Amino acid sequence: MQWLENKVIFITGAGEGIGKTLVSRFIEEGVVGIVAFDLIEDRLTALRDTYGDRVATVCGDVRNLDDNRKAVDLAISTYGRLDVFVGNAGVRDGRKRLEDMGEHELTTGFDDVFGINVKGYMIGTAAAREELAKNKGCVVLTLSTSSFYVGSGPIYTASKHAALGLMRALAHELAPDIRVNGVAPSGTPTSFADAESLLEPGADRTPARSGGPHTNILERQTEPEDHAAAYVLLASNQSAVMTGAVINTDAGRGITLASQR
Ligand SMILES: NC(=O)c1ccc[n+]([C@@H]2O[C@H](COP(=O)([O-])OP(=O)(O)OC[C@H]3O[C@@H](n4cnc5c(N)ncnc54)[C@H](O)[C@@H]3O)[C@@H](O)[C@H]2O)c1
């Protein structure tokens, strides 16, 4: 059985990492079409080359309301409906400590991370709301172990805590027409980048390979594919009585972080 038959999904940050893996999995699960949104056109071209008509793309910035509206309009003009919004695009904070932040990090750096990780989710949902409501649709937001525990820098941690609060507030406000839930992965090897404004000049931009077996109690390397089933469940009618909920796909990492100093 395919769980996403007849669904049309708009997903941000679809060009790489967890988002790119979700596009592939959603297609396996029978979607009619996907509107894939990303900042980097080459990544979107690769998706169109791979999936043809099943994927329509928008190159834009999640912080821009018009770009988000363009994606919703494209879902309607191409596939005739919109059922699911997946807010997923996100950036890191370079694990920068407060004591190491100057004025630039405290202003521009903070605004960039919050703009992408929090505002992007909110205005994506705002743009999609009317169309989702027509189909008793749903929203799935990518959260993180950093939505619950510390471990990254304060800006990223605060942004992911805020995204958790946003998910709950939207679940409350948009019921009963639209369900809103989250998936909270732990460290996963992707191209996950720091906000440009928080990078030191000349910094090594190679993403660290995270989520290794030593980081979690199931002692396994966490890969993007490991998170996909949670999104499929939350995007499907199988989760019809779930809203305001989070599925932690962290191989048990969270329960150990709670007790660490
Ligand atoms: N990789 C991890 O360790 C990890 C762990 C927990 C949560 N997450 C969350 O998963 C989500 C996806 O991260 P990932 O690891 O797949 O990262 P990734 O960098 O591999 O993919 C993110 C995609 O988002 C796009 N993007 C970035 N800024 C954008 C913007 N302003 N507008 C439009 N697109 C933009 C990038 O171009 C990229 O294609 C994020 O919300 C992140 O916080 C990641």
Side-chain angles (χ1 to χ4, degrees):
M1 185 181 67
Q2 291 177 308
W3 279 21
L4 299 179
E5 255 175 28
N6 305 321
K7 303 268 188 217
V8 175
I9 299 182
F10 159 28
I11 172 170
T12 66
E16 258 299 331
I18 294 170
K20 183 177 168 186
T21 298
L22 292 178
V23 170
S24 159
R25 182 65 189 269
F26 290 161
I27 285 180
E28 277 172 35
E29 294 291 340
V31 290
V32 173
I34 294 175
V35 174
F37 185 111
D38 206 283
L39 202 53
I40 300 180
E41 177 58 41
D42 287 354
R43 295 178 174 177
L44 296 172
T45 306
L47 289 178
R48 288 195 305 274
D49 290 348
T50 308
Y51 302 112
D53 292 350
R54 305 283 290 283
V55 172
T57 61
V58 174
C59 186
D61 190 319
V62 291
R63 289 169 285 186
N64 183 310
L65 181 56
D66 283 343
D67 288 351
N68 281 280
R69 286 183 172 144
K70 216 180 282 175
V72 174
D73 291 347
L74 187 63
I76 305 308
S77 61
T78 310
Y79 306 115
R81 57 187 288 140
L82 181 65
D83 302 282
V84 184
F85 168 60
V86 180
N88 170 71
V91 288
R92 298 188 314 181
D93 65 358
R95 291 182 180 264
K96 204 151 254 187
R97 295 167 61 86
L98 181 65
E99 62 188 13
D100 298 327
M101 291 182 206
E103 189 172 336
H104 183 68
E105 288 90 349
L106 289 167
T107 55
T108 311
F110 182 95
D111 289 348
D112 282 349
V113 176
F114 265 71
I116 296 169
N117 294 6
V118 186
K119 180 174 143 190
Y121 286 0
M122 182 145 130
I123 64 177
T125 307
R129 185 181 54 83
E130 267 183 41
E131 293 300 330
L132 295 178
K134 288 178 188 169
N135 307 317
K136 282 262 175 199
C138 65
V139 173
V140 186
L141 301 179
T142 301
L143 306 176
S144 169
T145 28
S146 294
S147 296
F148 303 93
Y149 308 105
V150 297
S152 197
I155 303 180
Y156 182 76
T157 304
S159 77
K160 286 295 179 183
H161 273 62
L164 172 65
L166 178 68
M167 184 279 288
R168 289 175 170 156
L170 294 177
H172 187 240
E173 178 183 329
L174 300 180
D177 295 330
I178 301 170
R179 298 182 297 110
V180 185
N181 293 291
V183 178
S186 54
T188 304
T190 63
S191 69
F192 199 20
D194 291 311
E196 287 288 322
S197 50
L198 288 168
L199 279 173
E200 306 292 343
D204 178 8
R205 288 163 189 248
T206 317
R209 198 167 161 77
S210 56
H214 60 286
T215 64
N216 62 65
I217 56 174
L218 295 183
E219 298 177 0
R220 54 174 290 164
Q221 174 68 50
T222 315
E223 299 291 349
E225 292 75 15
D226 294 321
H227 310 298
Y231 290 85
V232 171
L233 171 66
L234 294 176
S236 78
N237 299 342
Q238 299 288 326
S239 57
V241 294
M242 292 177 73
T243 197
V246 183
I247 300 180
N248 297 80
T249 54
D250 66 355
R253 180 168 168 76
I255 57 173
T256 63
L257 285 173
S259 61
Q260 275 176 14
R261 173 77 176 90

